[in-house]
Amino acid sequence: MFVSGADDKGHVAWPELLQVFAERNISSLMIEGGSSLLGSAFDAGIVDEVMVFVAPKVIGGKEAMSPIAGVGKSAMADALELAELTS
């Protein structure tokens, strides 16, 4: 199934995409992507569950891209707090 849910810049238009899913009785969505896609989902406020899988290798570095981009929060007090953590 292909659903066009992008704006004129190629970014996901979350409200429109989720409306199409709702019309098709799709009530959940798993988003797997890079930092820009994940950041846009957080910025849109549509994330209600987070699953993180970390490979057994870390390359990192000062200039490494964060796993989640987007607007983010400017103060720690505004940071998203995860609950019910399991390992």
Side-chain angles (χ1 to χ4, degrees):
M1 168 179 59
F2 176 77
V3 177
S4 177
D7 65 14
D8 60 351
K9 295 180 182 178
H11 301 135
V12 175
W14 289 112
E16 292 83 357
L17 182 61
L18 295 179
Q19 179 62 43
V20 170
F21 286 172
E23 290 167 1
R24 297 180 182 192
N25 294 316
I26 298 171
S27 61
S28 64
L29 170 68
M30 183 178 96
I31 304 168
E32 179 180 2
S35 64
S36 294
L37 179 64
L38 296 175
S40 72
F42 277 96
D43 291 347
I46 66 164
V47 177
D48 61 7
E49 184 174 350
V50 176
M51 298 176 101
V52 178
F53 300 91
V54 180
K57 294 185 179 184
V58 178
I59 55 174
K62 184 178 179 181
E63 301 299 320
M65 184 175 276
S66 169
I68 300 175
V71 176
K73 304 295 180 187
S74 60
M76 284 300 290
D78 298 328
L80 175 66
E81 293 188 35
L82 304 179
E84 299 180 35
L85 302 176
T86 61
S87 60

